[in-house]
mmCIF file of all heavy atoms in Angstrom:
data_model
loop_
_atom_site.group_PDB
_atom_site.id
_atom_site.type_symbol
_atom_site.label_atom_id
_atom_site.label_comp_id
_atom_site.label_asym_id
_atom_site.label_seq_id
_atom_site.Cartn_x
_atom_site.Cartn_y
_atom_site.Cartn_z
ATOM 1 N N ASN W 111 14.388 9.838 2.462
ATOM 2 C CA ASN W 111 13.607 9.678 3.681
ATOM 3 C C ASN W 111 12.260 8.999 3.551
ATOM 4 O O ASN W 111 11.387 9.205 4.379
ATOM 5 C CB ASN W 111 13.357 11.040 4.352
ATOM 6 C CG ASN W 111 14.373 11.276 5.428
ATOM 7 O OD1 ASN W 111 14.992 10.321 5.879
ATOM 8 N ND2 ASN W 111 14.530 12.516 5.829
ATOM 9 N N GLY W 112 12.033 8.220 2.517
ATOM 10 C CA GLY W 112 10.806 7.431 2.442
ATOM 11 C C GLY W 112 10.900 6.301 3.455
ATOM 12 O O GLY W 112 11.999 5.894 3.850
ATOM 13 N N LYS W 113 9.762 5.818 3.909
ATOM 14 C CA LYS W 113 9.767 4.722 4.880
ATOM 15 C C LYS W 113 8.822 3.619 4.429
ATOM 16 O O LYS W 113 7.825 3.880 3.758
ATOM 17 C CB LYS W 113 9.278 5.219 6.249
ATOM 18 C CG LYS W 113 10.195 6.229 6.908
ATOM 19 C CD LYS W 113 11.394 5.566 7.558
ATOM 20 C CE LYS W 113 12.346 6.588 8.142
ATOM 21 N NZ LYS W 113 13.686 6.062 8.343
ATOM 22 N N ILE W 114 9.165 2.398 4.828
ATOM 23 C CA ILE W 114 8.231 1.281 4.679
ATOM 24 C C ILE W 114 7.880 0.831 6.083
ATOM 25 O O ILE W 114 8.766 0.683 6.929
ATOM 26 C CB ILE W 114 8.883 0.068 3.990
ATOM 27 C CG1 ILE W 114 9.274 0.396 2.557
ATOM 28 C CG2 ILE W 114 7.939 -1.124 4.001
ATOM 29 C CD1 ILE W 114 9.848 -0.810 1.834
ATOM 30 N N VAL W 115 6.600 0.625 6.321
ATOM 31 C CA VAL W 115 6.195 0.079 7.616
ATOM 32 C C VAL W 115 5.551 -1.272 7.372
ATOM 33 O O VAL W 115 4.705 -1.422 6.482
ATOM 34 C CB VAL W 115 5.209 1.035 8.333
ATOM 35 C CG1 VAL W 115 4.773 0.443 9.667
ATOM 36 C CG2 VAL W 115 5.867 2.398 8.551
ATOM 37 N N SER W 116 5.987 -2.281 8.132
ATOM 38 C CA SER W 116 5.379 -3.616 8.016
ATOM 39 C C SER W 116 4.193 -3.690 8.951
ATOM 40 O O SER W 116 4.315 -3.381 10.136
ATOM 41 C CB SER W 116 6.376 -4.695 8.424
ATOM 42 O OG SER W 116 7.458 -4.661 7.560
ATOM 43 N N ILE W 117 3.070 -4.105 8.386
ATOM 44 C CA ILE W 117 1.837 -4.198 9.167
ATOM 45 C C ILE W 117 1.373 -5.652 9.139
ATOM 46 O O ILE W 117 1.157 -6.204 8.063
ATOM 47 C CB ILE W 117 0.713 -3.332 8.543
ATOM 48 C CG1 ILE W 117 1.193 -1.928 8.196
ATOM 49 C CG2 ILE W 117 -0.534 -3.338 9.434
ATOM 50 C CD1 ILE W 117 1.242 -0.952 9.301
ATOM 51 N N ALA W 118 1.232 -6.253 10.312
ATOM 52 C CA ALA W 118 0.753 -7.645 10.380
ATOM 53 C C ALA W 118 -0.753 -7.637 10.624
ATOM 54 O O ALA W 118 -1.210 -7.111 11.636
ATOM 55 C CB ALA W 118 1.465 -8.380 11.507
ATOM 56 N N THR W 119 -1.512 -8.188 9.681
ATOM 57 C CA THR W 119 -2.947 -8.358 9.900
ATOM 58 C C THR W 119 -3.166 -9.824 10.283
ATOM 59 O O THR W 119 -2.197 -10.581 10.396
ATOM 60 C CB THR W 119 -3.775 -8.036 8.642
ATOM 61 O OG1 THR W 119 -3.510 -9.043 7.670
ATOM 62 C CG2 THR W 119 -3.428 -6.666 8.091
ATOM 63 N N GLU W 120 -4.433 -10.231 10.427
ATOM 64 C CA GLU W 120 -4.673 -11.620 10.829
ATOM 65 C C GLU W 120 -4.181 -12.601 9.771
ATOM 66 O O GLU W 120 -3.814 -13.721 10.076
ATOM 67 C CB GLU W 120 -6.165 -11.829 11.093
ATOM 68 C CG GLU W 120 -6.536 -11.333 12.470
ATOM 69 C CD GLU W 120 -8.029 -11.148 12.656
ATOM 70 O OE1 GLU W 120 -8.797 -11.309 11.690
ATOM 71 O OE2 GLU W 120 -8.423 -10.822 13.782
ATOM 72 N N SER W 121 -4.172 -12.167 8.493
ATOM 73 C CA SER W 121 -3.860 -13.134 7.442
ATOM 74 C C SER W 121 -2.630 -12.791 6.612
ATOM 75 O O SER W 121 -2.160 -13.617 5.849
ATOM 76 C CB SER W 121 -5.068 -13.255 6.511
ATOM 77 O OG SER W 121 -5.390 -11.962 6.041
ATOM 78 N N GLU W 122 -2.120 -11.579 6.709
ATOM 79 C CA GLU W 122 -0.996 -11.247 5.826
ATOM 80 C C GLU W 122 -0.095 -10.170 6.418
ATOM 81 O O GLU W 122 -0.439 -9.525 7.405
ATOM 82 C CB GLU W 122 -1.517 -10.781 4.455
ATOM 83 C CG GLU W 122 -2.431 -9.589 4.565
ATOM 84 C CD GLU W 122 -3.104 -9.220 3.257
ATOM 85 O OE1 GLU W 122 -2.637 -9.609 2.186
ATOM 86 O OE2 GLU W 122 -4.101 -8.495 3.326
#
Side-chain angles (χ1 to χ4, degrees):
N111 264 341
K113 294 281 177 200
I114 295 183
V115 179
S116 298
I117 312 279
T119 69
E120 279 164 355
S121 55
E122 58 188 340

